Amino acid sequence: MSGQDVIVKYTDEEQIAIPRLEYESRIYVDRLKPLWGVHVPRFYGFYLYDPKERCELSRACVILQYCGEPAVSDLLLLKDYRRDDLGVKRFRNDTMDIYFRLHSPEIELAHNALKASHILDFEGKPFLIDFADSGYHDCFAWEEGKQLTRDVLPAKEGEILRKMGSQSVKCYELWNFLRSVDYGLP
């Protein structure tokens, strides 16, 4: 880990927070490993201090790669965030691609609680964080042998999606995400 900036998620709340932190650690190891350091922070470990004396509190922490600060304060602002000279909404589009990849057969994960504060800007690239509420997700939006990406969505930022409704995406979480980043959906 030499030379790598990290963050430490720490808690001493035994009833809820420690099990949630342990669960999130398992998500990083079991589901997110292919995305470490590329789309989600690199995971360096879950550490638990369980005292022998019951008068002391248990403590736990997760050590993750530092991946910047929240990009926007509201998901709707993602539409124009870091728009380049050509008018391309690259940061938002890259974030959408990451979100689609979470739902892929490779990862099979629903974030279940995405907020603006969970999308970090690290040297111009989006990183997703906070997977404590995430869970296994066999996404209906994926068809056998077809990869779901932004490229398969109809042109003109959801013009056709707006007419077709949520059935055009087939996944409630993806549909809500596309609406929240103003992809032209109702």
Side-chain angles (χ1 to χ4, degrees):
M1 265 187 357
S2 69
Q4 177 71 51
D5 290 333
V6 298
I7 62 108
V8 177
K9 288 179 74 171
Y10 166 85
T11 187
D12 60 10
E13 199 283 306
E14 295 181 31
Q15 297 301 313
I16 297 171
I18 289 177
R20 281 176 56 89
L21 204 55
E22 187 172 15
Y23 173 79
E24 185 175 18
S25 298
R26 285 195 311 274
I27 292 294
Y28 269 99
V29 172
D30 297 343
R31 297 271 176 211
L32 296 172
K33 196 168 190 173
L35 305 179
W36 287 5
V38 180
H39 300 305
V40 302
R42 194 172 296 284
F43 175 79
Y44 294 114
F46 170 79
Y47 301 91
L48 176 66
Y49 169 71
D50 197 9
K52 292 183 175 148
E53 303 294 324
R54 289 311 316 159
C55 61
E56 283 188 77
L57 288 175
S58 293
R59 294 171 183 86
C61 73
V62 168
I63 300 177
L64 300 166
Q65 170 190 8
Y66 172 80
C67 289
E69 298 297 322
V72 292
S73 59
D74 185 306
L75 286 173
L76 285 174
L77 299 174
L78 202 57
K79 180 179 182 176
D80 295 315
Y81 183 73
R82 282 193 173 265
R83 183 186 288 247
D84 70 13
D85 295 336
L86 300 174
V88 176
K89 299 166 184 175
R90 189 173 316 279
F91 192 91
R92 183 201 58 185
N93 291 345
D94 289 348
T95 303
M96 289 170 56
D97 288 342
I98 296 166
Y99 210 68
F100 290 147
R101 186 148 181 223
L102 288 180
H103 286 245
S104 73
E106 173 193 17
I107 309 293
E108 294 184 318
L109 189 71
H111 190 283
N112 292 330
L114 190 69
K115 299 187 275 187
S117 60
H118 299 155
I119 302 170
L120 305 182
D121 180 344
F122 187 59
E123 300 173 355
K125 296 176 186 158
F127 274 70
L128 298 185
I129 60 165
D130 199 351
F131 293 93
D133 292 317
S134 65
Y136 171 79
H137 179 65
D138 186 7
C139 189
F140 298 115
W142 286 79
E143 293 180 27
E144 191 67 35
K146 289 187 178 177
Q147 183 175 355
L148 179 65
T149 66
R150 203 173 15 85
D151 302 329
V152 301
L153 294 176
K156 296 191 180 171
E157 294 219 351
E159 181 179 308
I160 298 168
L161 291 175
R162 192 179 304 113
K163 293 175 186 171
M164 294 173 68
S166 61
Q167 295 77 23
S168 59
V169 177
K170 299 179 185 170
C171 172
Y172 184 73
E173 186 176 55
L174 286 177
W175 172 257
N176 280 333
F177 174 69
L178 291 170
R179 288 181 61 203
S180 68
V181 297
D182 194 24
Y183 197 73
L185 300 175

